[in-house]
Amino acid sequence: MRAFTALALGALFGCAPNAAAFSPAARSKVLKNLEEMRMTGAGGAASPDNYVEGMNIGPPPDLPSLLLHNRIVYIGMPLVPAVTELIIAELLYLNYEDQSKPVTMYINSSGTTTAGGQAVGFETEAFAIADVMKYIRPPVNTVAIGQAFGAAAMILAQGQKGGRAALPNATILLNQPKSQAQGQASDIAIRAREVAHNRRTSCELIAQATGKPLSVVMDDCQRVKYLQPDEAVEYGLIDRVIRKEDMSPLMKPSFMAAL
């Protein structure tokens, strides 16, 4: 790419042997193609060179990257493998970047099901995120916004003690995993045992986070149990409800000053 660019520019400005081969129209076309290649990154060129604090920012705005730059992780979808992969990668990156600064995780997820209750993921997705939250050095503060259902509620409870919160109109739901087993009866039985194991693991994690006996949590997860934020505080899933009067003035993100 660099050799081609040098040759093209040399020909355009008369410092290459075949400079005469370029008419004014041809020069205009080559310059246009070079600009398009620079903007799109074709041939190994970078995207538009707009670096702020070492991070490439260009149109259209990459909001997840800007949030990550300020140590914010957002779960805004059901816990399918692609979502889990992204969240774990972000947590591991933030652990590598700085092990002393806290991470804030905002949760607005229906867990491993859709809003209508259809199973779309496995509980192991939530277990992976919960394990990585405990594995990394930085404390992870969790905030429920909108909804934290099922496995998402379990992740909410795994935040740093004292740093688990919810906005006033969030809804938190405890339930048990749903089986997606199909096929032969023996396969369904094997899957049913796995679902029962996952249910117990999820309840154990909630019990450890809330300080409640495992038997109580398992009974509460037998059927759906809706909790409003104040009820979630009483249950021990979160530590406080963030209301407008409790909010401190928001600090301007560090990258905004350079934009």
Side-chain angles (χ1 to χ4, degrees), residues 149 170 256:
F149 289 177
M256 291 299 293

Side-chain angles (χ1 to χ4, degrees), residues 86-178:
L86 175 62
I87 299 305
I88 290 177
E90 290 181 337
L91 291 174
L92 292 175
Y93 169 77
L94 292 174
N95 179 62
Y96 166 79
E97 183 187 47
D98 193 322
Q99 297 187 353
S100 61
K101 295 180 181 178
V103 176
T104 302
M105 177 184 291
Y106 291 90
I107 302 172
N108 181 23
S109 173
S110 56
T112 54
T113 63
T114 63
Q118 179 183 358
V120 293
F122 297 99
E123 252 52 34
T124 49
E125 306 292 339
F127 298 158
I129 295 174
D131 284 346
V132 173
M133 290 170 65
K134 298 297 179 65
Y135 168 76
I136 63 175
R137 295 286 185 87
V140 181
N141 301 322
T142 52
V143 181
I145 53 177
Q147 60 182 359
F149 289 177
M154 183 274 290
I155 292 175
L156 172 67
Q158 300 309 302
Q160 178 79 6
K161 289 287 184 69
R164 305 169 302 176
L167 296 186
N169 294 309
T171 301
I172 299 163
L173 170 69
L174 300 180
N175 61 9
Q176 58 180 321
K178 290 190 175 184

Side-chain angles (χ1 to χ4, degrees), residues 1-255:
M1 175 60 186
R2 290 183 178 178
F4 166 75
T5 303
L7 178 61
L9 291 177
L12 284 173
F13 297 106
C15 54
N18 58 345
F22 283 84
S23 65
R27 294 184 186 185
S28 176
K29 184 176 180 179
V30 170
L31 284 174
K32 181 179 179 181
N33 289 340
L34 288 174
E35 178 64 16
E36 289 179 354
M37 294 174 73
R38 188 188 75 82
M39 293 297 293
T40 61
S47 297
D49 297 324
N50 183 12
Y51 287 87
V52 177
E53 298 182 9
M55 183 175 62
N56 190 4
I57 301 176
D62 183 2
L63 293 179
S65 294
L66 296 181
L67 292 175
L68 184 67
H69 189 62
N70 283 269
R71 306 185 69 80
I72 295 173
V73 175
Y74 176 54
I75 304 178
M77 296 177 64
L79 300 176
V80 296
V83 173
T84 303
E85 179 183 6
L86 175 62
I87 299 305
I88 290 177
E90 290 181 337
L91 291 174
L92 292 175
Y93 169 77
L94 292 174
N95 179 62
Y96 166 79
E97 183 187 47
D98 193 322
Q99 297 187 353
S100 61
K101 295 180 181 178
V103 176
T104 302
M105 177 184 291
Y106 291 90
I107 302 172
N108 181 23
S109 173
S110 56
T112 54
T113 63
T114 63
Q118 179 183 358
V120 293
F122 297 99
E123 252 52 34
T124 49
E125 306 292 339
F127 298 158
I129 295 174
D131 284 346
V132 173
M133 290 170 65
K134 298 297 179 65
Y135 168 76
I136 63 175
R137 295 286 185 87
V140 181
N141 301 322
T142 52
V143 181
I145 53 177
Q147 60 182 359
F149 289 177
M154 183 274 290
I155 292 175
L156 172 67
Q158 300 309 302
Q160 178 79 6
K161 289 287 184 69
R164 305 169 302 176
L167 296 186
N169 294 309
T171 301
I172 299 163
L173 170 69
L174 300 180
N175 61 9
Q176 58 180 321
K178 290 190 175 184
S179 174
Q180 303 182 51
Q182 296 180 351
Q184 299 178 356
S186 58
D187 294 334
I188 294 176
I190 292 172
R191 177 58 188 155
R193 287 196 296 270
E194 180 65 16
V195 170
H197 171 74
N198 288 344
R199 173 176 174 266
R200 183 176 182 86
T201 300
S202 182
C203 290
E204 286 176 346
L205 289 170
I206 293 175
Q208 293 169 7
T210 60
K212 288 187 173 296
L214 176 60
S215 58
V216 172
V217 176
M218 293 193 71
D219 287 343
D220 289 337
C221 290
Q222 286 279 4
R223 306 293 296 177
V224 294
K225 183 180 181 67
Y226 287 94
L227 297 169
Q228 298 306 310
D230 290 321
E231 296 172 328
V233 172
E234 185 177 350
Y235 197 89
L237 285 169
I238 60 176
D239 302 298
R240 64 191 181 102
V241 181
I242 302 176
R243 294 183 169 84
K244 186 174 181 180
E245 56 270 20
D246 301 328
M247 294 178 62
S248 57
L250 294 177
M251 184 175 62
K252 192 173 185 180
S254 58
F255 61 83

